[in-house]
Amino acid sequence: MNEAPVKQAEERRPDWAALAIAAVLVVIALVIFLDASRLREMMGYSPVGPASVPMAIAGALVVLAIWTVFAGFRGDFPKREHQEIAPVAWIVGGLAAQMLLLTTAGFSIATGMLFALTAAGFGKRKFWISIPLGIVISFVVWAVFSQLLKLSLPAGPLEQLFF
Amino acid sequence: MKQFFLASILAGAMALPAFATDYTILAPAGPGGGWDQTARSLQTALQDEGISERVQVVNVPGAGGTIGLAQFASQQKGKADALIVGGYVMVGAILTNKSPVSLQDVTPIARLTGESVALVVPAASPLMSVADLVTALKADPGSVSWGGGSAGGVDHILAGLFAKAADVDPTKINYIAFSGGGEALAAILGSQVTVGVSGYGEFEAQIKAGTLRLLATSGDARVPGADAPTLTEAGLDVVVQNWRMVAAAPGLSDEQKAAVTADIQKLATSKTWQDMLKTKNWQDTYLSGAEFDAQLAKDISSTEAILKDIGLVQ
Amino acid sequence: MNTFEYLLQGFAVASQPMYLFYALIGVTLGTLVGVLPGIGPALTVALLLPVTYQLDPGGSLIMFAGIYYGGMYGGSTTSILLNTPGESASIVTALEGNKMARAGRGGPALATAAIGSFVAGLFATIALAFIAPYIVKFALAFGPREYFALMVLAFVTVSAAFGDSTLRGLTSLFIGLALAIIGIDQLTGQTRLAFDVPDLLDGIEVTTLAVAMFAIGETLFVAAQGKRAPDKVEAVKGSLWMSKEDWKRSWKPWLRGTAIGFPIGAMPAGGADVSSFLSYSTEKQFSKHPEEFGHGAIEGVAGPEAANNASAAGTLVPLLTLGLPTTATAAIMLAGFQQFGLQPGPLLFATNPELVWGLIASLLIANFMLLVLNLPLIGLWVRLLTIPKPWLYAGILVFATLGTIGANPSVFELGMLLTFGLLGYFMRVFGYPIAPVVVGLILGPMAEQQLRRALAISQGDFSVLVTSPIAAGLLLLAALALIVPLVLRARGRGDVLTKMATDED
């Protein structure tokens, strides 16, 4: 999708996303470098110790960051399609809801919320249908996997009502 | 009359939980591993023997069992129906991972099974005995590579204790950590390392087939059916056993602790459990009460000492 | 009795109608559980093993064989249709398979995966029966330095999965390598990049990363396209079945995949994932249509799928002949074998021939049942794509998180799932390939540890890395794989430029 790199004049402008990515890579490299330099060099009999490989990876990330900056200035980055934020927020919300509810409300209710919020992200916002549907599906999944197959899935009030 | 009848049913219903506790066993490992198998065997045996009505197993894997241990200690405080499976590996992991929670934060009930660690060499190796190995180690510690499980684990600890008992600097041992006994077995079979250190069961089939030579085992007694001395018999004052245990929650009253101990005692002597040990090829090393506490304390202090000697713990 | 008679006897037992039925139940259960994203073969076998205990030894053995092959195969279906591989061995299947499914060629992709798995399973199981002792000798010749050389070769060949930009491919790979550092360093017991978080001590679980980056990243990316993306995908364009051309392009990759997968699966530190990576890059090298790679080349499905199933049989080589479990799945199987009174080890073939040959016959029958079950199911699976998106993706997330929660019910793990899901999404937005991240996480620690082990054994002498013939051969192969395409590209560039110039008008 990124054929014909030299097209219009506006592509001569630096790609800010590329610069941001490069910055992130440098930060990761820095974190690795700091962490590795605090390690005790317990080499044993190997000249390559526990810090050697992390240092090499940190170095490579810095090189890649520089390369990314060049690519950004040359406009080598592919054109991004427009992204809609709302659906992403719905689904991330669903995953967060599941994470927070899992230990207190149990698997079925938590995962039911994930189901409904994901469906909402794709445009189905009728929660009076999707939440009960999600909980029922998750409950069936819970019953099969925890009762039949003995997988340890967190139980909440709903599960304890039945089992 | 009617009231008395009702009251007796109620009393009966309330008394029921006192007869059979519904245990929840925490396996501090993923499904399929050794602790998970121990937990699930306990589950089956407790239920089949009618010691407990319903037993649940919960897996909390990670970091040599210390994550499960920490969660158990904080969330199950004072609950008499909560059990956790653990073992010697945890003792080392608590120290190397600098875990804030230790075995003092739970109530150890009983040791259930145990395994001797074996020292083996390939059949073609010039090393014929423990004495040969000591000589080679003294001559050049670096040239003797020990293949075993992860750093700081029971295999590594044994290698360190061996060196120390043979008057060799334990920091000079050339220990090669592999991921689990399986990969170490492959390395020793391929003669990639000088000595193999791992649970006896891991090597048993190869020893019987004659592809590996057993130099010694680490327990306080010889492994039944194995033609090799213990390390103590071979002149090195080293005893290591890789045991598995069951512990209860912290903060139990003495009666509660006694009740759990009685249940586990009943389990350990039951036919179901004994049959299970046989099919799984686990050695019965049941030990409970004060004797177990003393053994545990001894293991913890000696492990801490050797991990410091090897340089894994500061 | 000789080998062959034992095998025939095994077949006679295993082909009783009741046992065939057990085999069918086994593959059905294995496929159904294995197909769920996030639940790989190890968890599938662990979950379903107790089901087999209810039966007599013969019946449980055959059902077990079915579960194992079914679980191994199951992962490819969701990879192809939904771009959500649930385990590391199906990641490369998603690369080409999902592109095919999007072009309405999900049917042929699933078919070539199913038949390739069958062919690989058939040849590899036969190899297991007859040449296991030789293969195991070869596998044991691999020490740390040989593995290190193999990892170097694997690293060089991952570039086949880089997509259209070397910069972004390399960046992805190094992000994976950086993630791989996290956790306890196995050789010294020190923690790296864990920041005193106990949950990070064991490092990042490959399945968590794979499920997050593929299943969740994909869901977020599809959702972010909003109304522009059609609500339903056209499931079938052209034939549901493989065309003559598909067959012609598939059969060689099946055989090459088997040849790569079986020995690598037999190696104690090999595994299905490594063999699927190597197979993918091999197919790209051999293909007459390398330009189709990345856009739905059937060879890229046929080869890796055959390779990962062949390595499933390969895993049984060290397990049966040495009693050596080399993967999590094998460790669980070992526990299972003990239930059947089968004590794997060098004496197994001598002491328990009926059981061993019974198992091998069971595996062959299970392999066949898998084909019988899955070919007709292709039509049904493809229809998965016609489920309206809101419900389809909601369901995917339910199962993707189920696998993670089942393996480790911790809030922290779900947090990682979310974090890496977002990372996967952003990488998709900026055109970074996903597979190299997971490949880096898998290969990084292997390469590092093997290198350090080799050097510790040699007490610091670097020359050992090249003085073993196998290691030297593998490194040479790696060098060729790196240099030859560069040379070809340099020589070919002129041609392509002139061709482009003539294409202009």
Side-chain angles (χ1 to χ4, degrees):
Chain A
M1 250 137 272
N2 65 337
E3 63 260 34
V6 216
K7 273 193 309 201
Q8 292 134 22
E10 60 166 2
E11 296 217 4
R12 299 301 307 176
R13 280 189 312 172
D15 187 332
W16 292 108
L19 298 186
I21 290 170
V24 170
L25 293 178
V26 171
V27 170
I28 298 175
L30 210 64
V31 171
I32 297 176
F33 179 79
L34 287 177
D35 182 78
S37 46
R38 105 195 130 78
L39 289 174
R40 280 182 293 139
E41 273 299 302
M42 301 195 332
M43 296 291 201
Y45 287 86
S46 164
V48 177
S52 321
V53 171
M55 293 286 191
I57 291 172
L61 284 172
V62 171
V63 172
L64 286 168
I66 296 168
W67 189 351
T68 305
V69 171
F70 274 104
F73 274 103
R74 280 210 319 256
D76 276 356
F77 262 62
K79 258 191 112 105
R80 291 176 289 282
E81 288 174 35
H82 172 72
Q83 302 289 315
E84 286 184 24
I85 306 300
V88 176
W90 277 110
I91 298 169
V92 169
L95 288 162
Q98 184 199 34
M99 188 165 80
L100 297 175
L101 287 172
L102 189 69
T103 41
T104 47
F107 179 82
S108 308
I109 293 173
T111 312
M113 292 305 293
L114 167 68
F115 184 91
L117 289 170
T118 307
F122 283 91
K124 290 267 186 245
R125 309 258 156 92
K126 292 175 184 158
F127 288 113
W128 62 93
I129 300 174
S130 60
I131 292 181
L133 180 67
I135 293 180
V136 168
I137 292 176
S138 308
F139 183 74
V140 172
V141 168
W142 182 87
V144 170
F145 279 87
S146 77
Q147 298 302 305
L148 239 53
L149 297 175
K150 305 285 174 210
L151 197 65
S152 55
L153 296 173
L158 185 66
E159 287 85 358
Q160 272 147 11
L161 208 63
F162 288 90
F163 290 96
Chain B
M1 189 63 200
K2 207 175 171 187
Q3 266 167 337
F4 170 74
F5 193 65
L6 246 170
S8 63
I9 288 181
L10 262 176
M14 277 156 76
L16 211 68
F19 290 125
T21 316
D22 283 356
Y23 284 112
T24 302
I25 306 176
L26 191 148
W35 287 336
D36 177 62
Q37 283 184 48
T38 311
R40 285 177 199 272
S41 307
L42 276 173
Q43 176 188 33
T44 317
L46 284 170
Q47 285 174 348
D48 287 3
E49 288 291 326
I51 299 168
S52 181
E53 194 82 1
R54 249 172 70 99
V55 181
Q56 266 196 315
V57 171
V58 180
N59 297 86
V60 183
T66 50
I67 292 177
L69 187 73
Q71 204 188 89
F72 183 80
S74 65
Q75 292 177 5
Q76 307 294 336
K77 201 165 213 148
K79 289 188 192 156
D81 58 354
L83 296 176
I84 184 171
V85 168
Y88 183 60
V89 176
M90 233 180 219
V91 174
I94 288 167
L95 294 165
T96 48
N97 299 347
K98 303 188 195 82
S99 163
V101 177
S102 78
L103 291 177
Q104 266 98 24
D105 299 307
V106 297
T107 312
I109 296 293
R111 186 174 73 187
L112 294 172
T113 66
E115 191 180 38
S116 287
V117 182
L119 287 178
V120 296
V121 292
S125 165
L127 304 175
M128 303 305 288
S129 66
V130 173
D132 289 352
L133 180 57
V134 170
T135 316
L137 196 62
K138 278 190 168 154
D140 181 4
S143 70
V144 177
S145 48
W146 306 72
S150 55
V154 57
D155 308 336
H156 195 178
I157 288 171
L158 179 69
L161 287 170
F162 186 101
K164 206 172 150 192
D167 284 329
V168 174
D169 180 0
T171 58
K172 288 275 181 295
I173 55 172
N174 192 359
Y175 185 82
I176 317 288
F178 288 88
S179 33
E183 224 184 293
L185 172 60
I188 184 76
L189 281 174
S191 293
Q192 310 286 347
V193 290
T194 322
V195 203
V197 201
S198 197
Y200 177 73
E202 206 94 49
F203 294 140
E204 188 178 16
Q206 303 297 332
I207 295 166
K208 294 217 163 113
T211 43
L212 291 183
R213 179 163 52 246
L214 180 64
L215 295 184
T217 54
S218 70
D220 45 14
R222 287 190 181 204
V223 174
D227 180 30
T230 64
L231 282 171
T232 323
E233 286 170 351
L236 294 170
D237 184 22
V238 177
V239 178
V240 172
Q241 197 191 50
N242 190 8
W243 43 262
R244 288 184 196 155
M245 65 150 187
V246 63
L252 295 192
S253 68
D254 286 350
E255 296 88 69
Q256 283 174 321
K257 189 183 170 190
V260 177
T261 312
D263 276 354
I264 297 298
Q265 167 105 42
K266 205 160 139 200
L267 162 107
T269 47
S270 71
K271 190 175 174 315
T272 319
W273 179 251
Q274 289 295 333
D275 287 350
M276 247 172 204
L277 292 178
K278 247 174 236 130
T279 48
K280 303 236 171 199
N281 216 356
W282 289 344
Q283 249 78 48
D284 186 6
T285 59
Y286 182 78
L287 191 71
S288 68
E291 284 171 313
F292 177 48
D293 291 344
Q295 176 67 47
L296 195 58
K298 205 178 125 199
D299 270 353
I300 292 172
S301 63
S302 71
T303 305
E304 190 163 8
I306 190 64
L307 285 176
K308 277 185 182 147
D309 286 343
I310 305 174
L312 279 177
V313 172
Q314 279 170 323
Chain C
M1 277 203 278
N2 63 26
T3 308
F4 208 65
E5 283 170 73
Y6 276 124
L7 190 58
L8 284 181
Q9 196 192 9
F11 267 119
V13 175
S15 54
Q16 293 167 33
M18 204 55 213
Y19 284 162
L20 289 180
F21 180 63
Y22 289 148
L24 188 63
I25 293 183
V27 290
T28 312
L29 285 175
T31 310
L32 287 183
V33 178
V35 86
L36 303 174
I39 302 188
L43 201 52
T44 308
V45 174
L47 288 177
L48 293 173
L49 196 58
V51 180
T52 65
Y53 295 163
Q54 332 289 339
L55 310 172
D56 63 284
S60 56
L61 202 61
I62 194 165
M63 190 191 262
F64 169 79
I67 290 169
Y68 180 49
Y69 275 179
M72 269 323 275
Y73 168 77
S76 62
T77 307
T78 45
S79 284
I80 291 170
L81 293 179
L82 307 171
N83 201 15
T84 60
E87 24 126 7
S88 50
S90 303
I91 287 167
V92 288
T93 310
L95 291 178
E96 303 302 321
N98 187 249
K99 291 273 165 34
M100 287 180 72
R102 287 206 183 146
R105 299 206 347 110
L110 287 173
T112 198
I115 302 170
S117 295
F118 171 74
V119 171
L122 179 70
F123 284 116
T125 312
I126 293 174
L128 168 68
F130 295 99
I131 59 168
Y134 309 102
I135 287 289
V136 85
K137 247 181 222 147
F138 169 71
L140 284 180
F142 270 67
R145 51 187 174 165
E146 285 83 6
Y147 282 121
F148 175 68
L150 183 68
M151 292 306 138
V152 171
L153 177 61
F155 269 123
V156 170
T157 57
V158 230
S159 56
F162 276 180
D164 49 17
S165 153
T166 312
L167 166 63
R168 289 193 296 275
L170 272 177
T171 308
S172 289
L173 180 67
F174 273 90
I175 288 173
L177 291 173
L179 291 173
I181 305 170
I182 296 173
I184 297 172
D185 168 41
Q186 216 193 17
L187 281 92
T188 61
Q190 295 193 73
T191 55
R192 301 191 296 195
L193 289 179
F195 311 109
D196 288 330
V197 179
D199 296 89
L200 285 176
L201 289 180
D202 278 351
I204 289 168
E205 194 67 45
V206 175
T207 26
T208 305
L209 183 75
V211 167
M213 298 217 87
F214 282 95
I216 295 177
E218 176 78 5
T219 306
L220 291 172
F221 189 70
V222 173
Q225 306 312 306
K227 299 250 157 25
R228 267 169 300 138
D231 193 39
K232 282 177 191 170
V233 183
E234 198 178 338
V236 182
K237 263 183 224 150
S239 168
L240 177 66
W241 187 236
M242 287 167 70
S243 68
K244 212 168 165 188
E245 173 74 8
D246 291 334
W247 279 96
K248 233 175 80 189
R249 289 175 57 176
S250 287
W251 73 272
K252 277 187 199 155
W254 292 336
L255 296 182
R256 279 194 291 260
T258 310
I260 292 170
F262 183 67
I264 291 185
M267 286 175 195
D273 34 26
V274 178
S275 69
S276 66
F277 304 153
L278 287 175
S279 166
Y280 181 78
S281 55
T282 310
E283 291 317 324
K284 196 174 178 182
Q285 298 276 336
F286 275 101
S287 174
K288 289 206 185 76
H289 314 268
E291 75 287 350
E292 276 185 33
F293 272 74
H295 308 285
I298 194 165
E299 294 92 338
V301 180
E305 270 305 302
N308 80 38
N309 261 53
S311 52
T315 308
L316 293 174
V317 170
L319 185 63
L320 290 176
T321 55
L322 301 175
L324 186 68
T326 52
T327 60
T329 321
I332 296 159
M333 288 167 68
L334 187 64
F337 288 154
Q338 283 164 349
Q339 291 285 332
F340 311 137
L342 207 122
Q343 195 58 257
L347 302 177
L348 179 70
F349 280 79
T351 52
N352 272 18
E354 307 83 14
L355 271 173
V356 180
W357 294 108
L359 175 69
I360 288 169
S362 300
L363 286 169
L364 287 169
I365 286 178
N367 189 36
F368 180 69
M369 280 293 176
L370 194 61
L371 190 70
V372 170
L373 176 77
N374 278 297
L375 284 184
L377 274 182
I378 287 174
L380 191 73
W381 288 133
V382 170
R383 224 159 287 150
L384 262 185
L385 294 178
T386 61
I387 296 175
K389 269 188 188 161
W391 309 127
L392 178 65
Y393 281 98
I396 290 176
L397 289 198
V398 167
F399 285 111
T401 52
L402 166 76
T404 309
I405 297 170
N408 186 0
S410 90
V411 172
F412 190 87
E413 204 72 17
L414 286 179
M416 289 218 275
L417 209 57
L418 176 55
T419 313
F420 291 131
L422 280 170
L423 177 64
Y425 167 67
F426 284 117
M427 290 180 68
R428 275 179 173 80
V429 171
F430 293 108
Y432 284 87
I434 303 296
V437 183
V438 189
V439 171
L441 183 69
I442 295 169
L443 295 182
M446 285 191 187
E448 183 195 355
Q449 286 165 15
Q450 301 292 11
L451 172 67
R452 286 166 59 192
R453 278 184 199 129
L455 291 176
I457 291 173
S458 75
Q459 300 181 57
D461 179 3
F462 276 91
S463 71
V464 290
L465 298 178
V466 291
T467 46
S468 117
I470 297 178
L474 288 169
L475 289 173
L476 191 70
L477 213 56
L480 286 177
L482 196 65
I483 296 161
V484 170
L486 286 179
V487 174
L488 287 182
R489 205 178 299 165
R491 273 177 42 191
R493 183 161 283 164
D495 300 347
V496 176
L497 282 177
T498 46
K499 191 163 170 287
M500 270 169 73
T502 49
D503 277 353
E504 282 297 298
D505 32 37

